[in-house]
Amino acid sequence: MSRPLRTLNQVWSQLILSRLYARGVRQVCLAPGSRSAPLVLALVELAQAHPDLVVHSHFDERGLGFFALGLSKALTQPVAILTTSGTAVANLLPAVVEARHCHTALIVISADRPDELLGCGANQAIDQRQLFGSQVLEQLSLPAPHANVAFEHWLPALDRLLQQAGPVHLNCPFRAPLYPSEAPQDCVMALPALPAFTLSRSMPRRAQADVDLATPHQTLIVAGRLSPSEAARLLEYCQHYRLPILADLNSQLRLHPSEWVIHYADLLLNNAHFVQTLHRFERVIQFSGQLISKRLLAWLGTFNGEHLIVDGQRDYLDPNRRAQQRQQSLPDFLRELAALPLGWPPCAEVVAALQSWNKRAAAQLPALIGSELSEISAVTRLVQQLPAGCRLFAGNSLSIRLLDMYAAPALAYPVFSNRGASGIDGLVATAAGVAATAVEPLVLVIGDTSTLYDLNSLALVNRVAARTGQAILLLVLNNNGGAIFNLLPAAQLGAIQRDFFQCPHDLDFAAAAAQFHLAYARPTDLNELDGQIDRAMVPGTATLLEISVPAAQSTEQIGQINRHFAHLTAGA
């Protein structure tokens, strides 16, 4: 497109998007619509001028929002989402909620009707100005472009909005004409010169916790959600000082084969002797929050020593409301510890006991899981089969719990998930967004209900695999509905549990895979699964592997394994 900007709408749109680019935004996701035409046309112009600006499009705003979330998670950069007005904007709410709770930078830019079209029955006109409420860190609603309103007046507020380290909402009303061809006359306008965008690099205020770190308490490390670089720093520190780590799947350490990582903490917490060993520690330092394991969280609620949570975000992260918290980055905290004069001498006997428990779990689990195809055997076999460099996305509900409980350490794959608000919606789209940022293979482990919820996003999976040339594998665990409710008190409700909690659907995914041009297979044993995983790793291939099992199979197996470990004696 070579024509100059001809309308005031497009001038403002160009200024807004240029400010985004100056902020460092290099990924923009858009869905089609007419009210957003000025923004779309300005975006095309900007992308032509800056080849490093990547524009993604998708027909479904809900999936688009989660796709943008995946991009931002993987790139650790702000990503913009551009939509038209009306319910298109409302469809972004689930992704915004997840971004708010996992501190991911999404910039929602919504086109809107001008004020005079609100409250009068005008088509597609809703009040969008506070649509996301407390789920965004900041929102700004601009006036509709007008010759008597200077864009520069809104620049400080726009720059402040764009500096937030989480989801924000910029609402942009436009009056007709929305397209250059509709303008009554050519009125070529020059873009005003604006001051440079300066991103503040100041760290948030550090909240000091009343913990004397110089006191040489026996210390246990709990690793919550970490980035790969943070995980590497923490592991190096703990190996040097011989500190054991209870590692959450999202810590990037759960699948690391280091002897200082206690991989099976969730499973071993069934055992009273193991719990007694943990209580011999005097201090727990937890890095980040939102732990997957309910048993680990419950144990922390009973711990009588010092419990310190270290996280760079402002949100308080202890549901037990007992821990002290320090708002500080992991690298800064470890540097502070390294400068202390005393350090923390480990109790070799206690650490050795934890390592022994961990080795016993690793040795006994394969026989307990068995050689028959099940959800548990499928996810544990998958982790062992994946090639180096692969990325793993863990779906919510039962999928992530099976990986956290039973997966044996293999390679330190980068692990992604949506554990901010932990919804089952948008998981396929988020994984597609993560996949779009690199050429290494990506594997999503996901349940059947989650897949049904996000079926439209299979189109994104196919498109990303074709564009990047990477392999994308969806391992769908089909237990005919919400079988996780078999682990909850709802399991005692009989037909009520089946009809209103599990909600069986009696569907498979063969036709869905065909509709969205994904390769498909439904293995019937573990050997067949191994072969299908190998074939799915062919570059440029998008594959859906479906594991179909009876609804109660996994929960019965989980109960059997838990009972086995509950009855183990110490030192046996």
Side-chain angles (χ1 to χ4, degrees), residues 211-217 283 340-344:
V211 174
D212 181 10
L213 294 174
T215 303
H217 288 324
R283 173 189 287 146
L340 293 175
L342 293 178
W344 300 327

Side-chain angles (χ1 to χ4, degrees), residues 296-310:
L296 178 54
L297 186 61
W299 175 77
L300 288 170
T302 69
F303 181 66
N304 291 322
E306 294 180 353
H307 181 194
L308 175 65
I309 298 176
V310 179

Side-chain angles (χ1 to χ4, degrees), residues 97-266:
V97 169
E98 176 64 25
R100 170 66 181 84
H101 288 273
C102 66
H103 313 289
T104 304
L106 293 185
I107 302 170
V108 175
I109 306 172
S110 57
D112 197 1
R113 262 65 176 171
D115 286 349
E116 63 267 21
L117 293 182
L118 298 180
C120 63
N123 189 43
Q124 288 188 332
I126 67 172
D127 189 350
Q128 301 175 186
R129 290 167 292 189
Q130 300 283 345
L131 189 61
F132 299 111
S134 61
Q135 300 306 316
V136 290
L137 299 184
E138 195 159 340
Q139 72 86 33
L140 173 64
S141 189
L142 296 174
H146 192 279
N148 295 330
V149 177
F151 180 86
E152 295 91 323
H153 174 78
W154 297 92
L155 201 58
L158 177 59
D159 285 354
R160 184 173 63 249
L161 177 109
L162 296 180
Q163 293 198 55
Q164 299 299 318
V168 296
H169 179 207
L170 176 64
N171 196 52
C172 303
F174 294 109
R175 295 184 178 93
L178 303 175
Y179 301 89
S181 60
E182 294 180 319
Q185 59 182 7
D186 283 353
C187 48
V188 178
M189 299 174 184
L191 293 173
L194 299 178
F197 184 93
T198 302
L199 179 62
S200 172
R201 298 295 180 187
S202 61
M203 288 293 292
R205 176 184 60 82
R206 188 177 77 182
Q208 294 287 354
D210 185 20
V211 174
D212 181 10
L213 294 174
T215 303
H217 288 324
Q218 301 300 330
T219 299
L220 174 68
I221 303 298
V222 172
R225 184 181 61 214
L226 301 175
S227 69
S229 62
E230 289 173 330
R233 293 285 296 274
L234 180 60
L235 183 60
E236 180 183 13
Y237 184 91
C238 291
Q239 288 174 334
H240 179 75
Y241 289 100
R242 306 174 71 82
L243 298 174
I245 308 169
L246 304 188
D248 185 272
L249 184 69
N250 282 318
S251 71
Q252 314 299 326
L253 296 173
R254 171 63 182 78
L255 301 177
H256 197 289
S258 169
E259 64 177 320
W260 301 103
V261 176
I262 309 303
H263 305 93
Y264 300 104
D266 179 272

Side-chain angles (χ1 to χ4, degrees), residues 203 206 233 328-337:
M203 288 293 292
R206 188 177 77 182
R233 293 285 296 274
Q328 190 175 13
S329 71
L330 181 146
D332 286 349
F333 184 79
L334 294 184
R335 278 192 291 269
E336 181 179 331
L337 293 186

Side-chain angles (χ1 to χ4, degrees), residues 349-372:
E349 178 190 353
V350 179
V351 173
L354 288 186
Q355 292 173 328
S356 176
W357 278 105
N358 197 59
K359 290 176 182 177
R360 291 171 69 190
Q364 295 183 26
L365 259 180
L368 294 169
I369 293 172
S371 58
E372 299 298 319

Side-chain angles (χ1 to χ4, degrees), residues 32-56:
S34 191
R35 187 61 54 168
S36 55
L39 289 164
V40 172
L41 295 175
L43 178 62
V44 172
E45 293 247 359
L46 189 67
Q48 288 178 340
H50 299 282
D52 60 336
L53 180 62
V54 181
V55 181
H56 308 269

